[in-house]
Amino acid sequence: MAFLEIRNLMKSFGNVDVLKGINIEIEEGGFLVLVGPSGCGKSTLLNTIAGLEAITSGDISIGGRSVAGLHPSKRDIAMVFQSYALYPNMTVAQNIGFGMEIRGIGQTDRDKAIADVSELLQIGHLLDRKPSQLSGGQRQRVAMGRALVREPQVFLFDEPLSNLDAKLRVDMRTEIKRLHQRMGTTIVYVTHDQIEAMTLATKIAVLKDGILQQFGSPAEIYNDPANMFVADFMGSPSMNLIPARIETEGNGVAVVISKRGGGEAVRLPVENANGLTAHAGADVIFGIRPEALTDPDGADRTGGGLVNAVCPIEVVEPAGSDTFAVTHLGDIEVTARLRADAAIEPGREETLTFNMTKAVFFDPKTESRIA
Amino acid sequence: MSQPSADVAVQTNRLVRIAIYTALIVLAVYYLLPFYVMVVNSLKPLDEIREGDMLALPRQWTIAPWLSAWSTAQIGVEPTGLRPYFMNSIFMVVPAVALSTILGALNGYVLTKWRFPGHNLVFGMMLLACFIPFQIVLIPMARVLGILGLAGTTWGLVLVHTVYGLGFTTLFFRNYYEAFPTELVRAAQIDGASFFQIFRRILLPSSGPIIVVTVIWQFTNVWNDFLFGASFADVDSVPMTVALNNLVSSSTGVKEYNVHFAGAILAALPTLIVYVVSGRYFVRGLMAGAVKG
Ligand SMILES: Nc1ncnc2c1ncn2[C@@H]1O[C@H](COP(=O)(O)OP(=O)(O)OP(=O)(O)O)[C@@H](O)[C@H]1O
Ligand SMILES: [Mg+2]
C-alpha cells in the first residue's frame, strides 16, 4: 500500500488547466522527485500536496488518509520553500520554534527541540541571528531546520537548492541525501535540475505541460524513457535523437542513418530486433546516449551489441575525464563520449562504436517509444 | 593621464552645484516667506502690524497673541480660544487615523494574500472611492449619520473620515503587501498560524514604512479637513480648522491679526510636527513602494 498516493489529480486556475490527471504513488520512506521544465506545474503539484492550493478533482492521501480539503497544518507535512521563506522579523530560533509556539508547546520543550535540530544541522551558533544576517547556505539550513523540527510524515521541498551557488548546491544535495537516509521520512522534492533528480530520487516523476510523462526509478527513466521528451530532458549531455530508417537485413533489421552530403549511409544492424521488425521500412527516431557512442577501445564489452561505423568528426571537446566528439548524422549534431585520451581529430572520418543494446526507438510523429 | 579634462569636469561639477544650491535656496526662501510672516506677526502687538510693514521683526516681542488665540479669543460667540477645538480635533483625528490605518492594512492583506473571486473588482471600487469628491457624499453622509444617531458628534466625524480614508489606506497597503512574499504566508499557514496570527506576527512587523506613510497621509488629511467639519460638526465637536475660520471671521470688534496668525500656526502645528518627526520615513516609504511595487 502506497504511503503517498495521488490519484487522477486535476488542478485548474480559472479556465487554465495546470495539472491534467496526475497519478503518482510512493512507498513510505521514498524520495520522490518531480522534474520538468519551467511552468510545467511542479510547484502547483507540490502546493496541492501541501494543501496550499485546493485541488479541482481527484484525491491525495497520506498514510492511507485522504488529505484533500484538510488545512495545510493538519496534513502532517513540512515544506521548504525555494526562497526559504524565513520570517524576517524573527530570530533563527523563533523561526524554527514558530510552529510549536502556535501549537501551544511550552518554552522548555520548544528550546529542547530547537537545540536538537540545530545540532543536527550545525546551526547552533546562529540561533540568535535574524535571517538577514545569514548567508544563503545558512538560510537554507534554517529553512530545513524549521521543517525538520515538525517531524512530519512527509517533507516537501520546492527547488530548495536553486538559489545556491554551484559548489554549495552539490554539498547541500549530499547533505539532504544523508538526512533522508538517516531519518527515513518520505520526501517529495521539486527541481528542474535533472542531475539533482537522478542523484536523490528513489522515484522520479517527469512532468510536461501538466501531464505526467513518465513515473519510475531513476534507472528506468534514464535507460527506458517513455517518450522523446523524457529521453531528451534527462541526462547531460542529452540523448542523441537521430532521424533514421529501419530496413530488413538478412533475417534481422538494421538502422540506416543518412550522412551529410549524401555520402554512404551508416548501417547499424540490430541483433535483438523483436520490437523493431514490425517497423521495417518505416522512419523512426533512433535514440542513443553519448556514453553508448564511443571510440572502439572505450566501448563497454560486457553486453555485446557493439557495432562500428565510420562517422565524420566535426568538433572535439576534451572535458578532462572524457572527450566529447561531435559528429553529424541524419542531419543533426550527434555527441559521442570518448575516453579522455582517445586519438581522434576533427575534420576526419573516424570509427565510432554504437552500443545497440542501449539504443531506444521512437515514433517520429507521436514521439512515444516503440522499442 | 587626462589630468586637465578631470579638472574641467570638477569645475563644471562645482558650477552646476552652485547653480542647483542657489535655486534651492531661492525656492526655500520663497516657500518659507509666508511662514516667516506668520511667525513674526504673531509675536507683535497689533499696533505694529497696523503700521504696515509685515516683514519687519517685532520691536516689542510679545506672546500675548498666542495666549489669546489659545484660551481667550472670541470663537463665534464664545470667548474660549482655540483650546477646546484643538482637543475636538485630537479626539477626532486619533481614532479616525487609527481605524482607517488598521482597516486599510487588513484590506490590503486580504486583497493580496487571501484572494477571492472578484478581488480585483473590489479593489477597483475601493480605488474609485479615492476619486469621489467630498461634495458628492455630503448629503448622503448627513443622512447616514442621522440614521446612526451620530449626527453632530465627534464619533460621526470619525466615521466619515474613516470611510473616506479607507480607499487611500487600502491602496497603500495593497501595493505594499503585493510585494510581500506570499511564501512567507504559506510557510506560516503550514506552521498552523491563523488568519489574524499571520497578519499580526508576520505581516505587521514588516509594515513599518507603509504604516508611517499611511498615518502621515491620514493625519494631515483628517486634521486639515474643513468641509466635513463644517458640515457635520456640532458645537461640541467643531474641529480646529472650522474654529480657526470662526476666529478669523468673527465680525465683532477689531480684527486682531496677530491673534489670527498665532491661531493659524496653532492649527498647522500638529501636521508640521508629524512631518518633521517622521518625514524621513515618509519619503523612504514612498520610495520603497515605488521601487518594489
Ligand atoms: N495562481 C495562478 N493563477 C493562474 N495560473 C497559475 C497560477 N499559479 C501557477 N499558474 C500557472 O500554472 C503553471 C504551472 O505553474 P508552476 O508554478 O506549478 O510551474 P513550475 O513547474 O513550478 O515552474 P518553475 O520551474 O518555473 O517553478 C504555469 O503556467 C503558471 O503560469
Ligand atoms: Mg516552481
Side-chain angles (χ1 to χ4, degrees), chain B residues 204-279:
Chain B
L204 271 192
S206 305
S207 307
I210 199 64
I211 292 176
V212 171
V213 169
T214 312
V215 165
I216 292 183
W217 173 268
Q218 278 300 92
F219 190 96
T220 9
N221 274 324
V222 177
W223 185 275
N224 288 336
D225 162 71
F226 181 79
L227 189 61
F228 286 152
S231 314
F232 301 132
D234 237 339
V235 193
D236 53 0
S237 59
V238 166
M240 191 70 171
T241 44
V242 178
L244 179 67
N245 179 60
N246 295 348
L247 166 74
V248 174
S249 60
S250 285
S251 47
T252 50
V254 283
K255 290 250 183 245
E256 294 181 298
Y257 291 114
N258 50 358
V259 176
H260 298 174
F261 278 126
I265 296 174
L266 279 175
L269 215 51
T271 45
L272 215 60
I273 289 171
V274 168
Y275 265 112
V276 169
V277 170
S278 46

Side-chain angles (χ1 to χ4, degrees), chain A residues 13 16 18 36-45 53 82 158-159 190 192:
Chain A
F13 290 107
V16 186
V18 174
S38 189
C40 68
K42 306 180 294 289
S43 299
T44 309
L45 179 54
E53 301 278 6
Q82 181 171 0
D158 192 352
E159 308 206 20
V190 166
H192 55 235

